[in-house]
Amino acid sequence: MAGILELARMLAANPPAMRTELALWTLEEPPNFRNETMGSAVHAKSLADAKARVKLMISVEMIGYFTGKEDSQEYPAGLGVFYPSKGNFIAVVGKWGQGAAVSQVKEAMKLATALPVETLPAPAFVPGVDFSDHLNFWAEEYEAIHKLAGD
């Protein structure tokens, strides 16, 4: 919550050109993950029911997690060959077809931090690609990505 409040403060000082909504949801973890009681599922459905236009949803995860410890990262089978073994980076994850959004967020992140920024546009069936609130926005056919610090 502290990270989102800081983001709100920063956006207030430098308002983006378009309307931006910050939301915090409950019930992301099991036993509620992947069901209609997730806070993000309720919110995404309410937006869809209202026919709200959403340009991009960014799920912000693992704010403040950082480690230089070797082998602190775990990946789905085979991906560890391509990505850092230390949790000292920011990742921008999206499903196939969202390469433009993933790249745009990566470039914005690179302007805002000296930390390395990695990307993973992958099929939604790859384990971990849909492990957060953005999953519910995909279900409502909104473009959504996952931004996280190394975890």
Side-chain angles (χ1 to χ4, degrees):
M1 181 179 280
I4 296 300
L5 290 173
E6 178 60 14
L7 184 55
R9 186 195 65 76
M10 293 169 68
L11 289 171
N14 244 331
M18 67 183 71
R19 180 174 178 238
T20 302
E21 181 177 300
L22 301 178
L24 299 164
W25 300 296
T26 60
L27 308 174
E28 184 218 9
E29 303 295 332
N32 297 27
F33 185 63
R34 293 194 191 279
N35 72 45
E36 69 280 353
T37 62
M38 283 180 70
S40 59
V42 172
H43 189 185
K45 183 174 181 342
S46 73
L47 291 170
D49 289 349
K51 300 193 181 341
R53 293 187 350 225
V54 175
K55 184 168 183 170
L56 178 65
M57 181 276 202
I58 303 173
S59 178
V60 181
E61 294 280 334
M62 303 298 293
I63 296 175
Y65 185 89
F66 181 97
T67 181
K69 182 180 173 192
E70 197 66 48
D71 298 322
S72 59
Q73 287 298 117
E74 293 181 17
Y75 301 98
L79 290 179
V81 173
F82 303 103
Y83 295 99
S85 62
K86 299 176 185 176
N88 61 354
F89 63 95
I90 295 170
V92 181
V93 180
K95 64 182 177 178
W96 276 351
Q98 295 185 305
V102 168
S103 294
Q104 187 177 20
V105 171
K106 175 184 181 174
E107 293 308 310
M109 295 302 302
K110 285 171 55 176
L111 292 173
T113 182
L115 290 175
V117 181
E118 301 289 339
T119 60
L120 175 63
F125 63 78
V126 171
V129 170
D130 67 352
F131 282 7
S132 193
D133 292 299
H134 62 296
L135 165 74
N136 295 306
F137 284 75
W138 289 349
E140 300 297 342
E141 299 186 21
Y142 287 120
E143 190 160 13
I145 62 172
H146 186 145
K147 197 274 337 144
L148 61 155
D151 61 357

